[in-house]
Amino acid sequence: YNEELMTAVLNYKKRHGYKADYFLTAKHIQRMNMPIENYIKSIIVNMERWRWIDPELTKCDECIVVNIPSYKLFYRKNDVNILESKILVGKNMTETVVLSSNITQIVFSPYWNIPRSIIKNELKDLMERDENYLANHNIEWNKGNPRQKPGSKNSLGLIKFVFPNSSDIYLHDTPSKDLFEYEYRAYSHGCINMNRAKELALLFLKDDPDWPIERIDEAMKGEVETVCILKNKIPIHIGYFTSWVNDSGEICFYNDIYLRDDPLYALLLKDSK
């Protein structure tokens, strides 16, 4: 395992969405032995996915692009990535959806209004096992519904980015920073958790005199949430691309975490006959 092979392994792992180190596991070696036909299939289905994107998105001066399989978020401005962030996405039972929208608000020190699905499937059982569960997790009742109060342990972290969508998902900070060190990062209930939320907020508000960094820091320490309405909406596209060309012109391949490639490939073959 000499220096030349180590360099090749590192480059391979970077291009396949793995942790950028020199350690190889059985999972990595199995992936290395994947037939070339699988890579060709991935390129074909992802070229089709690019056709689904609104052409207007490519004309934006700035936008957020999320790629679910790579667990990455990019903030692009004037065709340059000015911020890249690791993300957590939805579990297989609560998959993050593909959509396009516009970020309209930043919420500092947000409340977490717990969705009914989580109340039914998780919270009720936790409350039955521990009568102090709500108090221990900073959860209060608000008009008959439980919500988690702002703070460092809030499930949304200290910042939430709001964009209208029918799935009621959003982009937010998280207190579970250790999860960003894992190669597999599909742990959320469908929302997108990012590890550089404050940096993104600072970039959004960089030229807004109403929101100097001191006010942002103060808002992030609040006991009630503070809403900032963005003067300019920021387009966001959440996509599912298992093949992706990076800024260096290299094609990258990512695990098909929601197993969507084969059904789409079969559909494309059917349509071509």
Side-chain angles (χ1 to χ4, degrees):
Y1 199 24
N2 60 20
E3 187 173 337
E4 184 179 8
L5 182 54
M6 290 171 69
T7 301
V9 166
L10 184 64
N11 186 50
Y12 178 89
K13 292 186 74 176
K14 286 179 179 177
R15 290 180 58 203
H16 287 76
Y18 295 123
K19 196 169 184 179
D21 58 31
Y22 301 107
F23 297 102
L24 283 175
T25 67
K27 174 183 67 178
H28 300 137
I29 294 172
Q30 181 183 20
R31 176 79 174 181
M32 286 179 174
N33 286 317
M34 191 171 76
I36 189 67
E37 290 82 3
N38 292 44
Y39 291 105
I40 295 171
K41 182 194 301 183
S42 176
I43 293 171
I44 291 171
V45 298
N46 284 282
M47 287 175 67
E48 176 64 20
R49 288 180 178 129
W50 276 112
R51 295 189 183 100
W52 303 344
I53 294 179
D54 185 347
E56 292 300 315
L57 188 69
T58 63
K59 302 175 184 177
C60 298
D61 293 333
E62 59 180 329
C63 65
I64 294 289
V65 178
V66 172
N67 187 21
I68 296 169
S70 70
Y71 308 115
K72 288 284 182 69
L73 173 150
F74 304 92
Y75 176 35
R76 294 182 61 81
K77 200 165 186 178
N78 299 319
D79 294 326
V80 176
N81 285 334
I82 61 173
L83 182 138
E84 179 179 320
S85 176
K86 294 179 180 179
I87 60 171
L88 310 178
V89 299
K91 296 177 283 190
N92 288 97
M93 295 296 291
T94 54
E95 296 180 0
T96 298
V97 297
V98 171
L99 60 83
S100 294
S101 185
N102 293 286
I103 299 176
T104 57
Q105 301 177 17
I106 304 175
V107 182
F108 298 104
S109 300
Y111 288 101
W112 179 39
N113 296 296
I114 304 176
R116 293 193 177 277
S117 59
I118 297 178
I119 296 171
K120 178 182 177 181
N121 298 325
E122 299 178 33
L123 189 59
K124 283 185 176 180
D125 288 340
L126 293 169
M127 290 168 62
E128 288 177 2
R129 291 200 293 266
D130 179 5
E131 62 180 15
N132 297 315
Y133 183 85
L134 296 186
N136 292 338
H137 290 80
N138 210 25
I139 298 174
E140 64 181 6
W141 290 99
N142 177 54
K143 299 179 181 178
N145 297 305
R147 70 176 181 182
Q148 192 173 34
K149 293 185 282 187
S152 59
K153 295 182 180 180
N154 185 287
S155 294
L156 305 184
L158 301 177
I159 302 177
K160 176 176 76 171
F161 300 87
V162 178
F163 45 93
N165 64 90
S166 59
S167 300
D168 197 28
I169 67 168
Y170 28 82
L171 173 66
H172 62 82
D173 183 28
T174 176
S176 303
K177 298 291 195 293
D178 57 314
L179 296 179
F180 292 114
E181 298 307 311
Y182 296 172
E183 288 185 337
Y184 178 85
R185 297 200 293 274
Y187 294 112
S188 83
H189 290 92
C191 288
I192 300 159
N193 307 11
M194 62 180 297
N195 73 330
R196 301 181 68 184
K198 181 179 179 181
E199 292 167 77
L200 184 61
L202 289 173
L203 286 171
F204 280 0
L205 300 174
K206 179 181 177 182
D207 299 318
D208 190 336
D210 296 332
W211 283 94
I213 188 170
E214 294 81 11
R215 185 181 179 189
I216 293 172
D217 286 339
E218 189 65 28
M220 289 174 64
K221 300 173 186 175
E223 294 184 3
V224 295
E225 65 182 25
T226 301
V227 178
C228 166
I229 306 296
L230 292 176
K231 295 176 181 176
N232 297 306
K233 298 177 182 179
I234 310 293
I236 178 170
H237 178 73
I238 302 171
Y240 189 92
F241 299 101
T242 50
S243 298
W244 180 278
V245 177
N246 63 23
D247 280 353
S248 300
E250 295 178 304
I251 189 166
C252 302
F253 296 94
Y254 305 111
N255 287 313
D256 183 13
I257 58 174
Y258 295 157
L259 303 180
R260 295 180 181 177
D261 280 7
D262 284 347
L264 177 55
Y265 186 70
L267 186 64
L268 292 173
L269 283 183
K270 181 180 178 181
D271 290 344
S272 66
K273 292 180 180 179

